[in-house]
Structure formats: structure tokens, C-alpha cells
Short mmCIF file of all heavy atoms in Angstrom, two decimals:
data_model
loop_
_atom_site.label_atom_id
_atom_site.label_comp_id
_atom_site.label_asym_id
_atom_site.label_seq_id
_atom_site.Cartn_x
_atom_site.Cartn_y
_atom_site.Cartn_z
N MET A 1 0.86 -1.18 -0.01
CA MET A 1 0.00 0.01 0.01
C MET A 1 0.90 1.22 0.02
O MET A 1 1.85 1.30 0.74
CB MET A 1 -0.89 -0.04 1.24
CG MET A 1 -1.89 1.00 1.33
SD MET A 1 -3.29 0.59 0.33
CE MET A 1 -4.34 1.95 0.62
N ARG A 2 0.58 2.14 -0.83
CA ARG A 2 1.32 3.41 -0.90
C ARG A 2 0.67 4.51 -0.05
O ARG A 2 0.13 5.45 -0.57
CB ARG A 2 1.43 3.85 -2.36
CG ARG A 2 2.07 2.84 -3.29
CD ARG A 2 2.09 3.30 -4.73
NE ARG A 2 0.87 4.04 -5.11
CZ ARG A 2 0.10 3.74 -6.09
NH1 ARG A 2 0.37 2.74 -6.88
NH2 ARG A 2 -0.98 4.48 -6.34
N TYR A 3 0.75 4.30 1.27
CA TYR A 3 0.09 5.20 2.20
C TYR A 3 0.50 6.66 1.98
O TYR A 3 -0.36 7.55 2.01
CB TYR A 3 0.39 4.79 3.65
CG TYR A 3 -0.25 3.48 4.02
CD1 TYR A 3 0.50 2.32 4.16
CD2 TYR A 3 -1.60 3.40 4.26
CE1 TYR A 3 -0.06 1.13 4.49
CE2 TYR A 3 -2.20 2.21 4.63
CZ TYR A 3 -1.44 1.06 4.74
OH TYR A 3 -1.99 -0.10 5.08
N GLY A 4 1.79 6.92 1.80
CA GLY A 4 2.24 8.28 1.62
C GLY A 4 1.64 8.95 0.38
O GLY A 4 1.21 10.10 0.45
N ASP A 5 1.51 8.21 -0.67
CA ASP A 5 0.92 8.79 -1.88
C ASP A 5 -0.55 9.15 -1.69
O ASP A 5 -0.99 10.21 -2.09
CB ASP A 5 1.00 7.74 -3.10
CG ASP A 5 2.43 7.47 -3.52
OD1 ASP A 5 3.31 8.35 -3.24
OD2 ASP A 5 2.66 6.46 -4.12
N PHE A 6 -1.28 8.25 -1.04
CA PHE A 6 -2.71 8.53 -0.81
C PHE A 6 -2.86 9.66 0.22
O PHE A 6 -3.80 10.47 0.07
CB PHE A 6 -3.43 7.27 -0.35
CG PHE A 6 -3.48 6.20 -1.39
CD1 PHE A 6 -2.78 5.02 -1.29
CD2 PHE A 6 -4.21 6.44 -2.57
CE1 PHE A 6 -2.83 4.04 -2.27
CE2 PHE A 6 -4.29 5.48 -3.58
CZ PHE A 6 -3.60 4.30 -3.45
N LYS A 7 -2.03 9.70 1.19
CA LYS A 7 -2.14 10.79 2.21
C LYS A 7 -1.84 12.13 1.56
O LYS A 7 -2.51 13.13 1.83
CB LYS A 7 -1.17 10.56 3.35
CG LYS A 7 -1.37 11.48 4.51
CD LYS A 7 -0.66 11.00 5.76
CE LYS A 7 -0.96 11.93 6.83
NZ LYS A 7 -1.24 11.30 8.11
N ASN A 8 -0.88 12.19 0.65
CA ASN A 8 -0.57 13.44 -0.09
C ASN A 8 -1.75 13.88 -0.96
O ASN A 8 -1.86 15.06 -1.22
CB ASN A 8 0.67 13.23 -0.97
CG ASN A 8 1.94 13.12 -0.15
OD1 ASN A 8 1.98 13.57 1.04
ND2 ASN A 8 2.94 12.55 -0.70
N LEU A 9 -2.59 12.99 -1.38
CA LEU A 9 -3.73 13.30 -2.16
C LEU A 9 -4.93 13.65 -1.27
O LEU A 9 -6.00 13.96 -1.76
CB LEU A 9 -4.16 12.08 -3.03
CG LEU A 9 -3.21 11.77 -4.14
CD1 LEU A 9 -3.57 10.44 -4.82
CD2 LEU A 9 -3.17 12.88 -5.19
N GLY A 10 -4.72 13.63 0.05
CA GLY A 10 -5.79 14.01 1.00
C GLY A 10 -6.78 12.90 1.26
O GLY A 10 -7.86 13.09 1.79
N MET A 11 -6.37 11.65 0.96
CA MET A 11 -7.25 10.52 1.17
C MET A 11 -7.00 9.91 2.52
O MET A 11 -5.86 9.99 3.06
CB MET A 11 -7.01 9.46 0.10
CG MET A 11 -7.32 9.90 -1.29
SD MET A 11 -7.06 8.52 -2.47
CE MET A 11 -7.63 9.32 -3.96
N PHE A 12 -8.00 9.27 3.13
CA PHE A 12 -7.83 8.60 4.37
C PHE A 12 -7.38 7.17 4.12
O PHE A 12 -7.89 6.51 3.19
CB PHE A 12 -9.17 8.57 5.13
CG PHE A 12 -9.66 9.93 5.54
CD1 PHE A 12 -10.68 10.52 4.85
CD2 PHE A 12 -9.04 10.58 6.56
CE1 PHE A 12 -11.16 11.77 5.22
CE2 PHE A 12 -9.51 11.86 6.95
CZ PHE A 12 -10.56 12.46 6.26
N THR A 13 -6.48 6.68 4.98
CA THR A 13 -6.01 5.29 4.82
C THR A 13 -6.20 4.50 6.09
O THR A 13 -5.91 3.32 6.15
CB THR A 13 -4.50 5.25 4.42
OG1 THR A 13 -3.78 6.00 5.42
CG2 THR A 13 -4.29 5.86 3.05
N GLY A 14 -6.68 5.14 7.18
CA GLY A 14 -6.93 4.44 8.43
C GLY A 14 -8.03 3.44 8.27
O GLY A 14 -9.01 3.62 7.56
N SER A 15 -7.96 2.33 9.04
CA SER A 15 -8.94 1.28 8.90
C SER A 15 -10.35 1.72 9.26
O SER A 15 -11.34 1.29 8.67
CB SER A 15 -8.54 0.07 9.72
OG SER A 15 -8.57 0.41 11.13
N GLY A 16 -10.47 2.62 10.18
CA GLY A 16 -11.86 3.12 10.58
C GLY A 16 -12.57 3.79 9.42
O GLY A 16 -13.74 3.55 9.17
N HIS A 17 -11.83 4.67 8.70
CA HIS A 17 -12.45 5.36 7.60
C HIS A 17 -12.75 4.38 6.44
O HIS A 17 -13.83 4.51 5.80
CB HIS A 17 -11.45 6.43 7.03
CG HIS A 17 -11.38 7.62 7.95
ND1 HIS A 17 -10.31 7.74 8.82
CD2 HIS A 17 -12.15 8.66 8.13
CE1 HIS A 17 -10.46 8.81 9.52
NE2 HIS A 17 -11.58 9.43 9.13
N ILE A 18 -11.89 3.46 6.18
CA ILE A 18 -12.13 2.46 5.11
C ILE A 18 -13.29 1.57 5.48
O ILE A 18 -14.15 1.35 4.64
CB ILE A 18 -10.86 1.63 4.85
CG1 ILE A 18 -9.65 2.54 4.52
CG2 ILE A 18 -11.09 0.59 3.79
CD1 ILE A 18 -9.84 3.46 3.37
N GLU A 19 -13.36 1.10 6.71
CA GLU A 19 -14.52 0.27 7.07
C GLU A 19 -15.81 1.02 7.01
O GLU A 19 -16.82 0.45 6.62
CB GLU A 19 -14.26 -0.30 8.49
CG GLU A 19 -13.17 -1.35 8.53
CD GLU A 19 -12.90 -1.85 9.96
OE1 GLU A 19 -13.79 -1.82 10.80
OE2 GLU A 19 -11.77 -2.33 10.14
N ALA A 20 -15.81 2.30 7.41
CA ALA A 20 -17.04 3.05 7.37
C ALA A 20 -17.51 3.28 5.93
O ALA A 20 -18.68 3.25 5.62
CB ALA A 20 -16.84 4.42 8.05
N ALA A 21 -16.55 3.48 5.03
CA ALA A 21 -16.85 3.66 3.59
C ALA A 21 -17.48 2.37 3.04
O ALA A 21 -18.42 2.39 2.32
CB ALA A 21 -15.63 4.04 2.82
N CYS A 22 -16.89 1.23 3.42
CA CYS A 22 -17.42 -0.05 2.98
C CYS A 22 -18.82 -0.28 3.49
O CYS A 22 -19.75 -0.70 2.74
CB CYS A 22 -16.53 -1.20 3.39
SG CYS A 22 -14.99 -1.32 2.50
N LYS A 23 -19.08 0.12 4.75
CA LYS A 23 -20.41 -0.06 5.30
C LYS A 23 -21.42 0.84 4.59
O LYS A 23 -22.53 0.45 4.24
CB LYS A 23 -20.36 0.32 6.78
CG LYS A 23 -21.71 0.08 7.46
CD LYS A 23 -21.60 0.36 8.98
CE LYS A 23 -22.91 0.12 9.63
NZ LYS A 23 -22.88 0.38 11.09
N GLN A 24 -20.98 2.08 4.26
CA GLN A 24 -21.83 3.04 3.58
C GLN A 24 -22.15 2.58 2.17
O GLN A 24 -23.30 2.62 1.70
CB GLN A 24 -21.13 4.42 3.55
CG GLN A 24 -21.92 5.47 2.83
CD GLN A 24 -23.05 6.02 3.72
OE1 GLN A 24 -23.00 5.90 4.91
NE2 GLN A 24 -24.00 6.61 3.11
N ILE A 25 -21.16 2.06 1.42
CA ILE A 25 -21.33 1.73 0.02
C ILE A 25 -21.94 0.32 -0.11
O ILE A 25 -22.90 0.11 -0.88
CB ILE A 25 -19.98 1.75 -0.74
CG1 ILE A 25 -19.38 3.16 -0.72
CG2 ILE A 25 -20.13 1.22 -2.12
CD1 ILE A 25 -20.20 4.18 -1.48
N VAL A 26 -21.46 -0.65 0.63
CA VAL A 26 -21.83 -2.01 0.42
C VAL A 26 -22.99 -2.49 1.34
O VAL A 26 -24.07 -2.83 0.84
CB VAL A 26 -20.63 -2.99 0.62
CG1 VAL A 26 -21.02 -4.45 0.46
CG2 VAL A 26 -19.50 -2.64 -0.32
N ALA A 27 -22.74 -2.40 2.60
CA ALA A 27 -23.73 -2.99 3.55
C ALA A 27 -25.06 -2.30 3.51
O ALA A 27 -26.09 -2.93 3.64
CB ALA A 27 -23.14 -2.96 4.96
N GLN A 28 -25.06 -0.97 3.37
CA GLN A 28 -26.29 -0.24 3.39
C GLN A 28 -27.25 -0.71 2.29
O GLN A 28 -28.45 -0.74 2.47
CB GLN A 28 -25.98 1.26 3.26
CG GLN A 28 -27.15 2.14 3.49
CD GLN A 28 -26.75 3.61 3.34
OE1 GLN A 28 -26.32 4.00 2.28
NE2 GLN A 28 -26.87 4.37 4.42
N ARG A 29 -26.76 -1.09 1.18
CA ARG A 29 -27.60 -1.50 0.06
C ARG A 29 -27.70 -3.02 -0.10
O ARG A 29 -28.78 -3.57 -0.27
CB ARG A 29 -27.04 -0.91 -1.26
CG ARG A 29 -27.83 -1.32 -2.52
CD ARG A 29 -29.23 -0.67 -2.48
NE ARG A 29 -29.89 -0.76 -3.75
CZ ARG A 29 -30.68 -1.75 -4.07
NH1 ARG A 29 -30.93 -2.73 -3.20
NH2 ARG A 29 -31.29 -1.76 -5.25
N ALA A 30 -26.59 -3.71 0.10
CA ALA A 30 -26.55 -5.15 -0.25
C ALA A 30 -27.07 -6.02 0.91
O ALA A 30 -27.44 -7.14 0.65
CB ALA A 30 -25.14 -5.54 -0.63
N LYS A 31 -27.12 -5.49 2.10
CA LYS A 31 -27.52 -6.33 3.24
C LYS A 31 -28.82 -5.96 3.80
O LYS A 31 -29.11 -6.18 4.96
CB LYS A 31 -26.44 -6.23 4.31
CG LYS A 31 -25.12 -6.87 3.93
CD LYS A 31 -24.15 -6.81 5.06
CE LYS A 31 -22.87 -7.52 4.70
NZ LYS A 31 -21.93 -7.51 5.87
N GLN A 32 -29.74 -5.44 2.96
CA GLN A 32 -31.09 -5.12 3.45
C GLN A 32 -31.87 -6.39 3.61
O GLN A 32 -31.60 -7.39 3.03
CB GLN A 32 -31.81 -4.14 2.47
CG GLN A 32 -31.16 -2.80 2.41
CD GLN A 32 -31.86 -1.84 1.47
OE1 GLN A 32 -32.96 -2.15 1.02
NE2 GLN A 32 -31.23 -0.75 1.16
N SER A 33 -32.88 -6.30 4.44
CA SER A 33 -33.67 -7.46 4.83
C SER A 33 -34.30 -8.14 3.58
O SER A 33 -34.85 -7.49 2.69
CB SER A 33 -34.83 -7.01 5.72
OG SER A 33 -35.65 -8.10 6.05
N GLY A 34 -34.11 -9.45 3.46
CA GLY A 34 -34.65 -10.22 2.41
C GLY A 34 -33.98 -10.20 1.06
O GLY A 34 -34.42 -10.80 0.12
N MET A 35 -32.83 -9.54 1.00
CA MET A 35 -32.10 -9.45 -0.26
C MET A 35 -31.18 -10.65 -0.45
O MET A 35 -30.53 -11.08 0.49
CB MET A 35 -31.31 -8.16 -0.33
CG MET A 35 -32.13 -6.93 -0.41
SD MET A 35 -31.15 -5.62 -1.01
CE MET A 35 -32.46 -4.41 -1.31
N HIS A 36 -31.16 -11.14 -1.63
CA HIS A 36 -30.27 -12.23 -2.01
C HIS A 36 -29.56 -11.80 -3.33
O HIS A 36 -30.23 -11.43 -4.27
CB HIS A 36 -31.07 -13.53 -2.25
CG HIS A 36 -31.83 -13.91 -1.05
ND1 HIS A 36 -31.24 -14.57 0.01
CD2 HIS A 36 -33.11 -13.79 -0.73
CE1 HIS A 36 -32.19 -14.78 0.96
NE2 HIS A 36 -33.33 -14.36 0.54
N TRP A 37 -28.29 -11.92 -3.34
CA TRP A 37 -27.50 -11.44 -4.45
C TRP A 37 -26.63 -12.51 -5.08
O TRP A 37 -26.07 -13.33 -4.33
CB TRP A 37 -26.55 -10.28 -4.01
CG TRP A 37 -27.25 -9.06 -3.56
CD1 TRP A 37 -27.66 -8.78 -2.29
CD2 TRP A 37 -27.62 -7.93 -4.31
NE1 TRP A 37 -28.26 -7.58 -2.20
CE2 TRP A 37 -28.23 -7.00 -3.45
CE3 TRP A 37 -27.50 -7.62 -5.66
CZ2 TRP A 37 -28.73 -5.80 -3.88
CZ3 TRP A 37 -27.97 -6.40 -6.11
CH2 TRP A 37 -28.57 -5.52 -5.24
N SER A 38 -26.50 -12.52 -6.33
CA SER A 38 -25.48 -13.29 -6.98
C SER A 38 -24.16 -12.49 -6.87
O SER A 38 -24.18 -11.33 -6.59
CB SER A 38 -25.80 -13.53 -8.47
OG SER A 38 -25.75 -12.30 -9.19
N VAL A 39 -23.08 -13.12 -7.12
CA VAL A 39 -21.76 -12.44 -7.05
C VAL A 39 -21.74 -11.31 -8.07
O VAL A 39 -21.39 -10.17 -7.82
CB VAL A 39 -20.60 -13.38 -7.23
CG1 VAL A 39 -19.30 -12.64 -7.37
CG2 VAL A 39 -20.52 -14.41 -6.07
N GLU A 40 -22.24 -11.63 -9.28
CA GLU A 40 -22.22 -10.64 -10.38
C GLU A 40 -23.17 -9.46 -10.07
O GLU A 40 -22.82 -8.31 -10.29
CB GLU A 40 -22.66 -11.30 -11.71
CG GLU A 40 -21.67 -12.31 -12.23
CD GLU A 40 -21.85 -13.71 -11.61
OE1 GLU A 40 -22.88 -13.92 -10.86
OE2 GLU A 40 -20.98 -14.55 -11.81
N GLY A 41 -24.32 -9.79 -9.51
CA GLY A 41 -25.31 -8.72 -9.22
C GLY A 41 -24.80 -7.79 -8.11
O GLY A 41 -24.95 -6.58 -8.21
N ALA A 42 -24.18 -8.37 -7.10
CA ALA A 42 -23.64 -7.57 -6.01
C ALA A 42 -22.49 -6.69 -6.51
O ALA A 42 -22.40 -5.50 -6.19
CB ALA A 42 -23.13 -8.47 -4.90
N ALA A 43 -21.60 -7.26 -7.40
CA ALA A 43 -20.53 -6.47 -7.92
C ALA A 43 -21.03 -5.32 -8.78
O ALA A 43 -20.48 -4.23 -8.70
CB ALA A 43 -19.59 -7.38 -8.77
N ASP A 44 -22.10 -5.58 -9.52
CA ASP A 44 -22.66 -4.49 -10.40
C ASP A 44 -23.21 -3.39 -9.55
O ASP A 44 -22.99 -2.21 -9.83
CB ASP A 44 -23.78 -5.11 -11.30
CG ASP A 44 -23.20 -5.98 -12.39
OD1 ASP A 44 -21.99 -5.97 -12.64
OD2 ASP A 44 -24.05 -6.74 -12.98
N ILE A 45 -24.01 -3.68 -8.55
CA ILE A 45 -24.62 -2.64 -7.74
C ILE A 45 -23.57 -1.86 -6.95
O ILE A 45 -23.67 -0.65 -6.72
CB ILE A 45 -25.78 -3.14 -6.84
CG1 ILE A 45 -26.66 -1.97 -6.34
CG2 ILE A 45 -25.28 -3.89 -5.63
CD1 ILE A 45 -27.45 -1.34 -7.41
N ILE A 46 -22.50 -2.57 -6.45
CA ILE A 46 -21.45 -1.92 -5.75
C ILE A 46 -20.72 -0.99 -6.65
O ILE A 46 -20.36 0.16 -6.27
CB ILE A 46 -20.54 -2.94 -5.08
CG1 ILE A 46 -21.25 -3.69 -3.96
CG2 ILE A 46 -19.23 -2.31 -4.60
CD1 ILE A 46 -20.59 -4.91 -3.47
N ALA A 47 -20.47 -1.38 -7.88
CA ALA A 47 -19.81 -0.50 -8.85
C ALA A 47 -20.63 0.76 -9.12
O ALA A 47 -20.13 1.88 -9.11
CB ALA A 47 -19.53 -1.23 -10.15
N LEU A 48 -21.94 0.59 -9.28
CA LEU A 48 -22.81 1.77 -9.42
C LEU A 48 -22.79 2.68 -8.22
O LEU A 48 -22.66 3.94 -8.37
CB LEU A 48 -24.26 1.32 -9.70
CG LEU A 48 -24.54 0.67 -11.04
CD1 LEU A 48 -25.95 0.13 -11.07
CD2 LEU A 48 -24.32 1.65 -12.17
N ARG A 49 -22.86 2.13 -7.02
CA ARG A 49 -22.82 2.94 -5.80
C ARG A 49 -21.53 3.65 -5.64
O ARG A 49 -21.46 4.79 -5.18
CB ARG A 49 -23.17 2.07 -4.56
CG ARG A 49 -24.66 1.71 -4.54
CD ARG A 49 -24.98 0.92 -3.30
NE ARG A 49 -24.79 1.64 -2.07
CZ ARG A 49 -25.68 2.45 -1.52
NH1 ARG A 49 -26.84 2.66 -2.11
NH2 ARG A 49 -25.39 3.06 -0.40
N CYS A 50 -20.40 3.01 -6.00
CA CYS A 50 -19.11 3.68 -5.94
C CYS A 50 -19.01 4.86 -6.88
O CYS A 50 -18.51 5.89 -6.53
CB CYS A 50 -18.00 2.66 -6.21
SG CYS A 50 -17.74 1.49 -4.90
N HIS A 51 -19.53 4.67 -8.12
CA HIS A 51 -19.52 5.78 -9.04
C HIS A 51 -20.35 6.94 -8.52
O HIS A 51 -19.98 8.11 -8.59
CB HIS A 51 -20.07 5.35 -10.41
CG HIS A 51 -19.06 4.77 -11.30
ND1 HIS A 51 -18.29 3.67 -11.01
CD2 HIS A 51 -18.65 5.14 -12.57
CE1 HIS A 51 -17.46 3.44 -12.03
NE2 HIS A 51 -17.66 4.30 -12.99
N HIS A 52 -21.51 6.62 -7.96
CA HIS A 52 -22.40 7.62 -7.43
C HIS A 52 -21.80 8.36 -6.27
O HIS A 52 -21.74 9.59 -6.21
CB HIS A 52 -23.74 7.03 -7.03
CG HIS A 52 -24.74 8.00 -6.64
ND1 HIS A 52 -24.94 8.30 -5.32
CD2 HIS A 52 -25.63 8.74 -7.36
CE1 HIS A 52 -25.90 9.22 -5.23
NE2 HIS A 52 -26.33 9.48 -6.44
N ALA A 53 -21.24 7.61 -5.31
CA ALA A 53 -20.65 8.19 -4.08
C ALA A 53 -19.42 9.01 -4.36
O ALA A 53 -19.10 9.97 -3.66
CB ALA A 53 -20.30 7.08 -3.09
N SER A 54 -18.63 8.69 -5.39
CA SER A 54 -17.39 9.39 -5.71
C SER A 54 -17.59 10.57 -6.59
O SER A 54 -16.62 11.26 -6.93
CB SER A 54 -16.40 8.46 -6.37
OG SER A 54 -16.86 8.04 -7.61
N GLY A 55 -18.86 10.86 -6.95
CA GLY A 55 -19.15 12.03 -7.80
C GLY A 55 -18.78 11.81 -9.26
O GLY A 55 -18.69 12.77 -10.05
N ARG A 56 -18.59 10.56 -9.65
CA ARG A 56 -18.23 10.23 -11.05
C ARG A 56 -19.41 9.65 -11.79
O ARG A 56 -19.24 8.98 -12.83
CB ARG A 56 -17.07 9.25 -11.10
CG ARG A 56 -15.78 9.83 -10.46
CD ARG A 56 -14.68 8.85 -10.55
NE ARG A 56 -15.06 7.67 -9.72
CZ ARG A 56 -14.52 6.49 -9.89
NH1 ARG A 56 -13.57 6.27 -10.77
NH2 ARG A 56 -14.90 5.48 -9.14
N TRP A 57 -20.66 9.88 -11.34
CA TRP A 57 -21.82 9.34 -11.95
C TRP A 57 -21.95 9.73 -13.42
O TRP A 57 -22.21 8.89 -14.28
CB TRP A 57 -23.03 9.77 -11.19
CG TRP A 57 -24.32 9.17 -11.71
CD1 TRP A 57 -25.22 9.75 -12.49
CD2 TRP A 57 -24.73 7.86 -11.49
NE1 TRP A 57 -26.27 8.94 -12.79
CE2 TRP A 57 -26.00 7.70 -12.17
CE3 TRP A 57 -24.30 6.76 -10.74
CZ2 TRP A 57 -26.71 6.54 -12.15
CZ3 TRP A 57 -25.03 5.59 -10.73
CH2 TRP A 57 -26.20 5.48 -11.44
N ASN A 58 -21.70 10.98 -13.73
CA ASN A 58 -21.88 11.48 -15.10
C ASN A 58 -20.81 10.97 -16.02
O ASN A 58 -20.95 10.88 -17.24
CB ASN A 58 -21.90 13.00 -15.17
CG ASN A 58 -23.17 13.53 -14.53
OD1 ASN A 58 -24.21 12.86 -14.55
ND2 ASN A 58 -23.11 14.75 -13.98
N ASP A 59 -19.65 10.50 -15.49
CA ASP A 59 -18.60 9.87 -16.32
C ASP A 59 -19.05 8.46 -16.74
O ASP A 59 -18.62 7.94 -17.70
CB ASP A 59 -17.32 9.76 -15.53
CG ASP A 59 -16.71 11.11 -15.19
OD1 ASP A 59 -17.05 12.12 -15.89
OD2 ASP A 59 -15.85 11.19 -14.31
N PHE A 60 -19.91 7.87 -15.93
CA PHE A 60 -20.36 6.50 -16.15
C PHE A 60 -21.56 6.39 -17.05
O PHE A 60 -21.65 5.56 -17.89
CB PHE A 60 -20.63 5.86 -14.80
CG PHE A 60 -21.18 4.44 -14.86
CD1 PHE A 60 -20.31 3.43 -15.26
CD2 PHE A 60 -22.46 4.16 -14.64
CE1 PHE A 60 -20.76 2.12 -15.36
CE2 PHE A 60 -22.96 2.86 -14.72
CZ PHE A 60 -22.12 1.86 -15.05
N VAL A 61 -22.54 7.30 -16.81
CA VAL A 61 -23.77 7.27 -17.60
C VAL A 61 -23.70 8.24 -18.80
O VAL A 61 -23.34 9.38 -18.66
CB VAL A 61 -24.97 7.69 -16.69
CG1 VAL A 61 -26.24 7.71 -17.47
CG2 VAL A 61 -25.02 6.72 -15.49
N THR A 62 -23.99 7.71 -19.96
CA THR A 62 -23.93 8.57 -21.15
C THR A 62 -25.08 9.54 -21.19
O THR A 62 -26.19 9.21 -20.83
CB THR A 62 -23.97 7.72 -22.42
OG1 THR A 62 -25.15 6.94 -22.41
CG2 THR A 62 -22.79 6.76 -22.49
N PRO A 63 -24.82 10.78 -21.64
CA PRO A 63 -25.85 11.79 -21.69
C PRO A 63 -27.03 11.44 -22.60
O PRO A 63 -28.13 11.92 -22.42
CB PRO A 63 -25.16 13.05 -22.21
CG PRO A 63 -23.71 12.80 -22.14
CD PRO A 63 -23.54 11.26 -22.09
N GLY A 64 -26.82 10.57 -23.53
CA GLY A 64 -27.87 10.24 -24.52
C GLY A 64 -28.88 9.18 -23.98
O GLY A 64 -29.75 8.76 -24.71
N ALA A 65 -28.73 8.77 -22.72
CA ALA A 65 -29.62 7.74 -22.23
C ALA A 65 -30.27 8.15 -20.92
O ALA A 65 -30.03 7.66 -19.87
CB ALA A 65 -28.78 6.47 -21.99
N PRO A 66 -31.13 9.24 -21.00
CA PRO A 66 -31.70 9.74 -19.75
C PRO A 66 -32.60 8.74 -18.96
O PRO A 66 -32.63 8.73 -17.78
CB PRO A 66 -32.50 10.97 -20.22
CG PRO A 66 -32.71 10.79 -21.67
CD PRO A 66 -31.57 9.98 -22.13
N ARG A 67 -33.37 7.91 -19.71
CA ARG A 67 -34.22 6.93 -19.04
C ARG A 67 -33.36 5.89 -18.34
O ARG A 67 -33.68 5.50 -17.20
CB ARG A 67 -35.14 6.23 -20.03
CG ARG A 67 -36.28 7.10 -20.44
CD ARG A 67 -37.31 6.38 -21.31
NE ARG A 67 -37.81 5.18 -20.63
CZ ARG A 67 -38.22 4.07 -21.26
NH1 ARG A 67 -38.19 4.02 -22.57
NH2 ARG A 67 -38.67 3.04 -20.56
N LEU A 68 -32.30 5.45 -18.97
CA LEU A 68 -31.37 4.51 -18.33
C LEU A 68 -30.72 5.13 -17.08
O LEU A 68 -30.68 4.53 -16.04
CB LEU A 68 -30.31 4.05 -19.31
CG LEU A 68 -29.21 3.16 -18.75
CD1 LEU A 68 -29.77 1.84 -18.25
CD2 LEU A 68 -28.14 2.91 -19.78
N ALA A 69 -30.32 6.38 -17.22
CA ALA A 69 -29.69 7.09 -16.09
C ALA A 69 -30.64 7.19 -14.96
O ALA A 69 -30.26 6.96 -13.80
CB ALA A 69 -29.20 8.41 -16.55
N ALA A 70 -31.87 7.50 -15.18
CA ALA A 70 -32.86 7.67 -14.12
C ALA A 70 -33.13 6.29 -13.44
O ALA A 70 -33.22 6.21 -12.18
CB ALA A 70 -34.18 8.19 -14.68
N GLY A 71 -33.18 5.24 -14.20
CA GLY A 71 -33.36 3.92 -13.66
C GLY A 71 -32.19 3.44 -12.84
O GLY A 71 -32.38 2.89 -11.75
N LEU A 72 -31.00 3.68 -13.31
CA LEU A 72 -29.78 3.33 -12.54
C LEU A 72 -29.70 4.14 -11.24
O LEU A 72 -29.39 3.61 -10.21
CB LEU A 72 -28.56 3.54 -13.39
CG LEU A 72 -28.33 2.57 -14.54
CD1 LEU A 72 -27.13 3.00 -15.38
CD2 LEU A 72 -28.18 1.17 -14.02
N ARG A 73 -30.01 5.44 -11.31
CA ARG A 73 -29.89 6.27 -10.11
C ARG A 73 -30.91 5.78 -9.06
O ARG A 73 -30.63 5.75 -7.90
CB ARG A 73 -30.16 7.74 -10.43
CG ARG A 73 -29.87 8.63 -9.28
CD ARG A 73 -30.00 10.09 -9.63
NE ARG A 73 -29.10 10.57 -10.65
CZ ARG A 73 -27.90 11.05 -10.42
NH1 ARG A 73 -27.42 11.07 -9.24
NH2 ARG A 73 -27.17 11.45 -11.41
N ALA A 74 -32.09 5.35 -9.51
CA ALA A 74 -33.10 4.84 -8.59
C ALA A 74 -32.59 3.55 -7.94
O ALA A 74 -32.91 3.22 -6.78
CB ALA A 74 -34.42 4.59 -9.29
N ALA A 75 -31.89 2.75 -8.72
CA ALA A 75 -31.33 1.47 -8.17
C ALA A 75 -30.28 1.66 -7.14
O ALA A 75 -30.07 0.87 -6.23
CB ALA A 75 -30.82 0.59 -9.30
N VAL A 76 -29.52 2.75 -7.30
CA VAL A 76 -28.42 3.04 -6.39
C VAL A 76 -28.99 3.48 -5.07
O VAL A 76 -28.62 3.16 -4.01
CB VAL A 76 -27.46 4.08 -6.99
CG1 VAL A 76 -26.44 4.50 -5.98
CG2 VAL A 76 -26.82 3.53 -8.24
#
């Protein structure tokens, strides 16, 4: 792990921050009552949530697909 590089970028590397981020991104959505996920489905929704949480949503969703974008945002 390049802790120095990430710290210089202003990123947190402590385990508490990382675990809290995982809980926010993964557990909050994937571990709701009654949910069952395939490995592929869980990976897909986690990828969408990561894009949304990092502010890179518009880099992921093409401007020409507004209905798709609205559906994906609702899923996240």
C-alpha cells in the first residue's frame, strides 16, 4: 500500500475510515432485509454505488440515455 501517496492526495487510509466507507457503500444496500445477491449482481450494484458516491456518476452514464440514467440512479 502506498500510504504516503494517498495521504498526499488528501485521502484517508486508516482502517476506521475504510470500514465506514465499505459499510456506507456495500452494507447499506446489499444487506437489506430479504435481499439475495449473485456475485455478479452484487458487484454490479457496488460499482454503481461507488460511481455515485465518488461524484463520477456522469462519467459512467452517457448523456444520450436519460431513461437509463434515471433507472440506474433509482437502483443506487
Side-chain angles (χ1 to χ4, degrees):
M1 185 81 179
R2 301 179 322 235
Y3 291 105
D5 294 338
F6 293 113
K7 190 167 183 138
N8 290 338
L9 292 171
M11 296 179 176
F12 295 105
T13 56
S15 63
H17 289 98
I18 303 304
E19 288 177 27
C22 288
K23 184 176 181 181
Q24 180 76 22
I25 298 295
V26 178
Q28 190 178 61
R29 179 68 169 92
K31 293 185 176 181
Q32 292 181 13
S33 178
M35 292 199 170
H36 303 282
W37 295 89
S38 66
V39 172
E40 294 83 9
D44 290 345
I45 198 69
I46 290 166
L48 289 173
R49 287 182 63 86
C50 287
H51 272 59
H52 186 265
S54 67
R56 297 180 299 159
W57 184 259
N58 291 332
D59 295 341
F60 177 72
V61 178
T62 58
R67 284 187 56 210
L68 174 63
L72 289 174
R73 188 176 299 271
V76 172

